[in-house]
Amino acid sequence: MFDKIALILTILGSINWGLVGIFQLDVVAWLFGGSGSIFSRVIYTVIALSAIWCISLLFRPEPREA
């Protein structure tokens, strides 16, 4: 379950970065009062931690089929 939550947060963060790159629209900053606000910084940090967690998915052994 934690893996799925981390993956969803990482995907949402990636979509936000895509919007920044294409339209110069930072949805997190827009929703929470600018990129320097404490709420935005907490969300950026949670998304970054989720991305770091998702790195572990690359190194886990694949489950064997019975």
Side-chain angles (χ1 to χ4, degrees):
M1 182 68 174
F2 192 73
D3 292 342
K4 289 183 181 182
I5 292 171
L7 189 57
I8 289 168
L9 288 173
T10 303
I11 291 168
L12 291 174
S14 299
I15 291 170
N16 188 56
W17 274 110
L19 291 172
V20 170
I22 296 169
F23 301 112
Q24 295 181 350
L25 171 65
D26 187 347
V27 176
V28 173
W30 178 67
L31 287 174
F32 296 102
S35 62
S37 76
I38 189 69
F39 296 115
S40 295
R41 293 178 65 192
V42 167
I43 291 184
Y44 293 140
T45 303
V46 168
I47 290 173
L49 291 173
S50 296
I52 292 169
W53 179 264
C54 285
I55 292 171
S56 72
L57 298 175
L58 294 172
F59 300 103
R60 290 188 194 166
E62 294 184 22
R64 295 183 181 181
E65 294 183 26

